[in-house]
Amino acid sequence: MERIEDYPWLQKEQSQLQTYLNQRRIPQALLISGAAGMGKFQLALFFARMLMCESPLVGPQACGQCPACQLLNAETHPDLMLIQPEEKGKQLTINLIRQLLEKLTLKPQYQAQRVVIIRQADALNNAAANAFLKCLEEPGERTSIILLAEKPYRLSATIRSRCQKMPMKLSDRQSAIVWLNNQHLAQPEALLEMAQGGPLTAQYFGEQNYLELQTTLLEDWLKVADAAGDISELVESWQKQTSVTLPMILRWLGEWVALLIKLKYGLAEKNDHKFSLQERAERLNLKSLYQFYDFLLLSRRQLESAVNPQLLMEQVLIEWQMINR
């Protein structure tokens, strides 16, 4: 079973949550926000265990032995409610919130606190967000709600104003790098950079060989620039990648274009891709690069809608090919 102690970069947040209990200031609603892979869910579970333990240890810490802790370990505690989108990348719908409201009308089954964890709270659609306000205004007896969000600005100002806020940042980068080293992963600094500071995401990227995959995709992308290979076949092969999603590929394309722009200005720092892109930058028009970068940002937003991903990615590569002519 994962323990919060397994993630050394979370010590500051862990201490803050323990302070809430020591001072008897239990938030009715807590918004934990931060990049993917920071450990938001693990932190929420840690807090839930402390709140729900029947015999907490000094610290406070969950004892791990009482009936409540045993139920939590078995993931069968009736007073711990987990709400999340029914499918990855989908919205939190009003039906999920209505089901939650029904449950909250009942009293907690145990004497300690009842805890609701909302994963991807920033995926609440408008109807669900309006219904969720009732949860925040009337959460019920001995109930704490923990919202987790990568993009808290997507939550309405009304919801955010009703929450105690805990923004997470990787303040101790070195401890995360040491932790990744301990997971026997090569190039932990590069993985952490790729994961935008999320150690757990960096771990996943390392296990899935993302650095090698990124190099291969860069080579494919540069071949397209020189009109080598079939674009449709290339996009199909990208879509068959089980570990790398199209949004991630678009993010990488954006990073490479940003590097090309920096190279044009002579501002690029040391980078593994700098050498392979230096000559390319010299041949490209700066205005076209800026326009293509804007097009990539638009494409990333469109990919979140009902657009055909095959056609979208083909158009991206066609545009890239055109500015290289």
Side-chain angles (χ1 to χ4, degrees), residues 109-129:
Q109 295 189 36
Y110 284 72
Q111 291 303 310
Q113 199 80 353
R114 174 169 58 186
V115 178
V116 179
I117 299 177
I118 313 285
R119 297 189 82 169
Q120 299 172 49
D122 43 3
L124 284 163
N125 63 29
N126 289 334

Side-chain angles (χ1 to χ4, degrees), residues 42-101:
Q42 288 78 5
L43 199 63
L45 284 178
F46 168 76
F47 194 38
R49 291 177 187 279
M50 287 196 298
L51 290 170
M52 301 174 79
C53 177
E54 296 171 1
S55 306
L57 305 176
V58 175
Q61 291 271 10
C63 71
Q65 303 298 323
C66 68
C69 283
Q70 291 179 20
L71 287 170
L72 287 167
N73 292 339
E75 300 181 2
T76 56
H77 200 302
D79 288 340
L80 177 62
M81 304 177 190
L82 175 62
I83 308 298
Q84 59 187 357
E86 294 172 338
E87 294 180 41
K88 188 176 180 180
K90 300 296 184 181
Q91 293 184 323
L92 279 166
T93 62
I94 191 169
N95 286 337
L96 290 170
I97 301 305
R98 282 172 176 164
Q99 291 169 19
L100 173 62
L101 286 168

Side-chain angles (χ1 to χ4, degrees), residues 24 30 43 59 62 110 123 163 215 299:
R24 297 182 180 179
L30 175 66
L43 199 63
Y110 284 72
C163 298
T215 300
S299 298

Side-chain angles (χ1 to χ4, degrees), residues 175-226:
S175 71
I177 291 172
V178 170
W179 180 82
L180 288 167
N181 262 320
N182 292 338
Q183 311 308 308
H184 310 292
L185 296 171
Q187 298 180 266
E189 295 93 342
L191 288 171
L192 198 59
E193 185 71 26
M194 179 184 283
Q196 298 182 322
L200 297 178
T201 302
Q203 179 189 23
Y204 173 78
F205 287 175
E207 292 170 348
Q208 299 295 323
N209 299 314
Y210 263 43
L211 292 174
E212 293 85 351
L213 285 168
Q214 188 185 54
T215 300
T216 300
L217 286 169
L218 176 61
E219 292 171 356
D220 290 340
W221 189 59
L222 293 176
K223 287 177 183 176
V224 168
D226 297 323

Side-chain angles (χ1 to χ4, degrees), residues 10-20 22 43 46:
L10 293 179
Q11 288 183 358
K12 177 184 173 184
E13 288 80 8
Q14 174 188 350
S15 178
Q16 185 176 340
L17 292 174
Q18 289 172 320
T19 299
Y20 286 150
N22 285 326
L43 199 63
F46 168 76

